[in-house]
Amino acid sequence: MNNECADCACVLRSSASMKDCQLAMLSGNHAVVKFRKGDAIIKQGVFSTNVIFLRKGMARIHITGPSREQIVKLVKAPTYLGLPTTFGDKINQYSVTAVLDSEICFIDLEVFKKLLEENREFSSYILMELCKSELEAYRRCASRTQKQIKGNLADVLLEFSENLFEAEQFTLPLSQSEIGNWVDAGRESINRALSEFIQDGIIQMEGRQVRIIDKKMLKMISQNG
C-alpha cells in the first residue's frame, strides 16, 4: 500500500517529498474504487466526508439549478474532485459523473488536513490547484456568455483535442445534447455548427469519432468568437 501511494499522482504531481510516516498514514486511510462510465461519483446535496482524487479516467462536473441541470466542465485524471465543497460547508454543491471508466481514491478528510498542516510543499500545491481552477472558471464564464455558438463549439473541440485527449483524433465523450448543455445551446444548433465545420474542411466526423483537420482555422473561430 505504501508503494501505491508513493507512486500515485496524488503525491507525485505535487512534487512533495512526503516522509515515510506521512505515506503510511495516507496509505492506511484511503480506499480505491472503480466506477464505470455513467456512474455517479459525487452527488449534489449529499454530505461529504472524504477528499476525492480521480486517479484514472474522465468525469463531468454538473450542477442542478432552479430549472435544469447544467454541465460545468469536464476533467481528466489525475486531479482532485470537490475540494471547495469538502473544505467548505461539507455538503456537495455539485455532482460528478464518470464519462469514461474511472478509478477514484477516497481519502479520509482529517488525514488529508493533517498532511496539509505537516507538509508545506503539498499544501502550496493544493492552494495553487484551487487558484487555477477558480481562474479557469472565470475565463470559461466570460467566453461562454460572449461568444457565438461556433466560437463556443470551437472551444469545446480544442478542449477535447489539446487538454482532455491530447490528440487530433478522439471520440466525443458527450452527446450533442450534452455539448449543447455545456455551452448553453440546443442540440440542433450544435448539429448545424458541426455540419458547417465538416463542410468547411475543419473537422471530419464519423459517428462520435472526430478528427481535426484545420486546427489553425478552429483556433481562429475560437478567438473571434
Side-chain angles (χ1 to χ4, degrees):
M1 290 291 284
N2 283 1
N3 288 336
E4 180 185 49
C5 288
D7 296 335
C8 180
C10 172
V11 174
L12 296 177
R13 285 196 75 194
S14 67
S15 299
S17 178
M18 287 194 180
K19 299 176 182 178
D20 289 343
C21 60
Q22 292 174 334
L23 284 172
M25 179 171 60
L26 184 61
S27 67
N29 291 276
H30 83 287
V32 177
V33 181
K34 293 183 178 180
F35 290 80
R36 296 187 65 84
K37 177 181 177 180
D39 287 348
I41 299 171
I42 295 175
K43 292 184 178 181
Q44 184 174 339
V46 175
F47 189 70
S48 176
T49 58
N50 293 283
V51 171
I52 300 174
F53 185 75
L54 179 63
R55 286 169 50 119
K56 297 178 182 178
M58 187 180 298
R60 63 182 171 93
I61 297 174
H62 48 108
I63 186 169
T64 300
S67 59
R68 63 185 175 93
E69 186 177 78
Q70 178 71 51
I71 296 175
V72 179
K73 66 176 180 177
L74 265 65
V75 293
K76 71 170 184 176
T79 188
Y80 287 94
L81 300 172
L83 281 181
T85 284
T86 304
F87 285 93
D89 56 13
K90 305 290 182 66
I91 302 297
N92 293 326
Q93 299 301 308
Y94 49 79
S95 299
V96 180
T97 301
V99 170
L100 304 175
D101 290 351
S102 301
E103 192 173 278
I104 301 293
C105 182
F106 293 90
I107 307 168
D108 180 84
L109 177 58
E110 295 307 315
V111 168
F112 194 82
K113 286 181 178 179
K114 187 172 179 61
L115 289 174
L116 293 178
E117 292 173 359
E118 295 180 352
N119 195 312
R120 181 176 297 180
E121 190 175 6
F122 186 60
S123 60
S124 295
Y125 164 74
I126 296 298
L127 179 60
M128 288 300 297
E129 287 294 295
L130 291 173
C131 290
K132 286 191 292 184
S133 179
E134 183 174 13
L135 291 173
E136 179 189 4
Y138 292 157
R139 180 185 62 79
R140 287 180 184 277
C141 180
S143 293
R144 189 173 62 196
T145 56
Q146 296 177 25
K147 290 183 178 181
Q148 301 297 317
I149 291 173
K150 291 178 70 173
N152 280 322
L153 180 58
D155 285 346
V156 169
L157 294 176
L158 289 170
E159 176 74 6
F160 288 146
S161 174
E162 297 184 342
N163 298 324
L164 295 175
F165 293 104
E166 299 181 35
E168 302 299 294
Q169 188 168 334
F170 51 87
T171 301
L172 287 176
L174 300 178
S175 68
Q176 291 185 17
S177 294
E178 289 172 328
I179 292 174
N181 177 280
W182 192 6
V183 299
D184 296 327
R187 186 195 65 80
E188 295 80 6
S189 297
I190 296 299
N191 183 270
R192 185 164 53 250
L194 284 171
S195 297
E196 290 179 11
F197 284 174
I198 294 170
Q199 292 172 4
D200 293 339
I202 298 172
I203 64 171
Q204 289 180 347
M205 277 192 72
E206 184 173 345
R208 286 198 181 188
Q209 287 286 334
V210 176
R211 183 183 177 194
I212 295 179
I213 305 299
D214 192 343
K215 180 171 280 190
K216 182 178 180 181
M217 179 58 68
L218 198 62
K219 287 185 176 181
M220 187 177 298
I221 293 172
S222 170
Q223 291 169 0
N224 294 333

